[in-house]
Amino acid sequence: MKKVYQSRIDKNHGTCMQAAIASLFEIFIEDVPNFVELGEEWFDIYVKFYEDNGYLLNIFNPQGRIDIAKQALEVDKGINGYWYASVESINLGKDVWHAVIIDKDLNVVHDPNPNNYGHVYKPEDILSIDVVKDNWHIDLDGNLVIENKQ
């Protein structure tokens, strides 16, 4: 993982997502679309970006279940052991999500906002995680199920 910092901090046009993805894939920020500015089709383009880089994208909401989330990430393996995740922004207010990079223990290892230096997000602050394997899921009872895919 290469630390890339966002160039713009703005509720509707910021580049934290772009910088976090560049960090995760170890590429230049200019090589990543600014997904938040792509309109309604941003998510399809986002999924295709992962696919073009050899990964199947799924979104996992840990819902505060730190134990299950850690087990799931151990199975998922991420991208070189790291994952893109979302947390609530400390700068832009409630209900504004901010992109970060986490490790398998749900520790934020990179915050692309240079103004957040010293702020520590906790595992329970994580709202969603981009996972990249399809050999596991969480069942209706909240248990991790590992599938035996050939």
Side-chain angles (χ1 to χ4, degrees), residues 26-112:
E26 299 182 339
I27 57 179
F28 294 107
I29 194 169
E30 298 82 13
D31 295 331
V32 179
N34 189 356
F35 300 103
V36 299
E37 294 191 341
L38 295 177
E40 292 181 15
E41 60 274 351
W42 79 269
F43 190 74
D44 292 335
I45 296 167
Y46 188 55
V47 169
K48 185 168 179 354
F49 184 88
Y50 267 82
E51 287 174 356
D52 290 348
N53 284 280
Y55 294 94
L56 175 69
L57 173 66
N58 287 292
I59 308 298
F60 171 57
N61 179 343
Q63 299 177 330
R65 296 280 317 269
I66 305 305
D67 54 337
I68 294 295
K70 286 182 181 181
Q71 291 174 34
L73 296 186
E74 190 70 41
V75 172
D76 190 78
K77 304 296 185 210
I79 299 171
N80 298 319
Y82 298 103
W83 293 261
Y84 172 99
S86 298
V87 295
E88 192 171 78
S89 172
I90 62 168
N91 294 314
L92 299 176
K94 196 157 186 64
D95 298 325
V96 177
W97 289 26
H98 176 60
V100 295
I101 302 298
I102 63 170
D103 66 12
K104 67 180 177 65
D105 293 318
L106 287 87
N107 298 309
V108 173
V109 295
H110 177 53
D111 182 343

Side-chain angles (χ1 to χ4, degrees), residues 100-148:
V100 295
I101 302 298
I102 63 170
D103 66 12
K104 67 180 177 65
D105 293 318
L106 287 87
N107 298 309
V108 173
V109 295
H110 177 53
D111 182 343
N113 185 335
N115 296 336
N116 288 353
Y117 182 77
H119 179 77
V120 177
Y121 289 102
K122 300 179 293 288
E124 46 277 350
D125 295 329
I126 296 171
L127 302 171
S128 71
I129 304 168
D130 287 6
V131 293
V132 296
K133 303 286 188 305
D134 65 350
N135 64 333
W136 64 272
H137 69 273
I138 306 298
D139 69 13
L140 294 175
D141 296 320
N143 300 308
L144 176 69
V145 177
I146 302 169
E147 299 169 12
N148 188 10

